[in-house]
C-alpha cells in the first residue's frame, strides 16, 4: 500500500495516538485513564501503542521534532552570523519552532499544560536535553577546549529562557513559544548591554 498525502501509516497512527491521548487527558486528567484505554480509543493494540510511545506523557506531548540537519551543519560551521550568542539564539529558536504542534492542536496543548504540572516538567526536561545537545554543538563548533563553566552558564541561560518563553506563551496565546523566546532573549541581552554614561 502506498503512502497517501496524509503521510505514512506510521505517521497517521502516531497522530491518532497523540490526538486520543490529548482527548483522554482533557476529559479525565493524566491519571484518569490507562494505556490500555488509550490503545482502545486509538484502535491499536497495547503492544503497538508501546512501539510508538513509552507512556502517557510522551503520548500527550508527542515526539520531539528533529532539527533540519542543514541548520545544525550551518551552526557547526560558524553560522548563520558568526556571532556565537546570536547563532545560539537562532538555533534554539529554530528548535522551538520545529516543536510547535499543529495549529489546530495548539490551544488543546496549552490547556493541558496549564492543567497538569507533570506535562510542564516534561517540557522542561526536553529543554534540558536540548541544552545538553547545544553545549556539545558549541564545543564542536569552537574547535577548542571550551571552559566548562561557560558551557554551564550558556546551558542554564537557555533552559531558563525557554521556561520563561513557555510561561509567556501560555499567558499570551497569540504568541508562539519561539516568539516569546526571542523577546526573553532580547530582554536578557539588553540587561548586559553597555549603558550610556
Amino acid at each position: 500500500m502506498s503512502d497517501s498525502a496524509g503521510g505514512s501509516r506510521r505517521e497517521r497512527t502516531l497522530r491518532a495516538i497523540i490526538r486520543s491521548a490529548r482527548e483522554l487527558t482533557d476529559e479525565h486528567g493524566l491519571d484518569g485513564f490507562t494505556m490500555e484505554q488509550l490503545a482502545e480509543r486509538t484502535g491499536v493494540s497495547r503492544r503497538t501503542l508501546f512501539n510508538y510511545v513509552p507512556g502517557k506523557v510522551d503520548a500527550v506531548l508527542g515526539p520531539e521534532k528533529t532539527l533540519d540537519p542543514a541548520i545544525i551543519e550551518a551552526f557547526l560551521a560558524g553560522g548563520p552570523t558568526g556571532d556565537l550568542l546570536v547563532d545560539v539564539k537562532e538555533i534554539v529558536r529554530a528548535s522551538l519552532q520545529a516543536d510547535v504542534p499543529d495549529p489546530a492542536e495548539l490551544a488543546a496543548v496549552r490547556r493541558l499544560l496549564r492543567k497538569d504540572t507533570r506535562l510542564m516538567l516534561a517540557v522542561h526536561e526536553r529543554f534540558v536535553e536540548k541544552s545538553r545537545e547545544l553545549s556539545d554543538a558549541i564545543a564542536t563548533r569552537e574547535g577548542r577546549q571550551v571552559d566548562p563553566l561557560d558551557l554551564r552558564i550558556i546551558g542554564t541561560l537557555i533552559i531558563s529562557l525557554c521556561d520563561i518563553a513557555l510561561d509567556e506563551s501560555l499567558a499570551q496565546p497569540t504568541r508562539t513559544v519561539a516568539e516569546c523566546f526571542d523577546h526573553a532573549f532580547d530582554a536578557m541581552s539588553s540587561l548586559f548591554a553597555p549603558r550610556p554614561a
Side-chain angles (χ1 to χ4, degrees):
M1 184 173 132
S2 63
D3 293 348
S4 69
S8 69
R9 177 183 295 173
R10 182 168 181 82
E11 289 168 344
R12 290 193 303 273
T13 300
L14 179 59
R15 283 198 301 268
I17 290 168
I18 293 168
R19 185 173 55 252
S20 296
R22 290 173 181 169
E23 288 170 356
L24 285 166
T25 304
D26 216 9
E27 293 164 12
H28 308 289
L30 203 55
D31 291 326
F33 67 96
T34 65
M35 291 294 278
E36 287 78 6
Q37 288 169 319
L38 175 55
E40 185 179 338
R41 170 76 67 102
T42 308
V44 297
S45 70
R46 189 173 184 275
R47 182 174 181 177
T48 296
L49 179 63
F50 280 105
N51 284 333
Y52 283 85
V53 291
K56 290 189 277 188
V57 169
D58 290 286
V60 171
L61 294 179
E64 287 190 81
K65 307 290 193 310
T66 55
L67 266 181
D68 181 340
I71 293 174
I72 299 169
E73 191 176 321
F75 179 82
L76 293 174
T81 71
D83 181 311
L84 179 61
L85 205 55
V86 174
D87 294 345
V88 164
K89 173 186 175 182
E90 291 304 313
I91 199 167
V92 173
R93 188 183 202 286
S95 177
L96 292 172
Q97 283 179 312
D99 273 338
V100 171
D102 183 281
E105 293 283 317
L106 195 52
V109 172
R110 284 187 164 125
R111 187 170 60 251
L112 296 175
L113 287 172
R114 287 191 200 100
K115 285 168 75 171
D116 198 302
T117 55
R118 285 168 299 176
L119 294 172
M120 289 288 284
L121 284 171
V123 174
H124 171 80
E125 284 306 313
R126 289 185 175 192
F127 292 155
V128 170
E129 184 53 37
K130 285 180 192 297
S131 171
R132 285 193 197 104
E133 292 170 1
L134 181 58
S135 293
D136 291 344
I138 291 170
T140 300
R141 165 182 161 141
E142 293 301 290
R144 58 179 170 79
Q145 184 61 39
V146 182
D147 188 331
L149 180 60
D150 291 346
L151 289 177
R152 186 176 174 192
I153 289 169
I154 292 172
T156 301
L157 279 172
I158 294 304
I159 294 165
S160 296
L161 291 173
C162 287
D163 283 337
I164 289 167
L166 179 60
D167 289 342
E168 290 293 308
S169 178
L170 291 174
Q172 304 174 57
T174 57
R175 302 180 71 191
T176 67
V177 176
E179 289 167 344
C180 291
F181 176 82
D182 268 352
H183 184 257
F185 192 101
D186 292 343
M188 180 271 296
S189 298
S190 70
L191 290 175
F192 297 100
R195 303 285 181 189

